Amino acid sequence: MRLTASPRRETGRRDTEGMAVASFVLGLVGLLVLNFVLGPIAIVLAVVALRRDTPRRFRAQLGLGLGIADIVLLAVLMAADDTTSWSVFG
């Protein structure tokens, strides 16, 4: 009986599409809550997806922009209210 190696999984097109979509969603949610966590994650996912030449390039660029907006919004609100985070819910 001969054992065969399991098929190697290569990072493919679907992985980069998922990263682009996740970046967009996390950046969008980050505008409302947890922007100091979700913003940088959105930025990293967008950059990785763009470097791997994702077919959803526009969505990755939106995720990158929203991630940056999360951090900028946090900095502006921290300067205005002398606080470390904010939430839509109060």
Side-chain angles (χ1 to χ4, degrees), residues 29-41:
V29 172
L31 289 174
L32 303 175
V33 293
L34 293 175
N35 46 2
F36 61 95
V37 174
L38 298 180
I41 294 172

Side-chain angles (χ1 to χ4, degrees), residues 33-62:
V33 293
L34 293 175
N35 46 2
F36 61 95
V37 174
L38 298 180
I41 294 172
I43 292 170
V44 169
L45 286 174
V47 168
V48 171
L50 289 170
R51 284 194 178 178
R52 291 185 181 176
D53 199 28
T54 181
R56 297 188 185 255
R57 190 163 185 78
F58 183 68
R59 202 161 288 171
Q61 290 171 342
L62 281 175

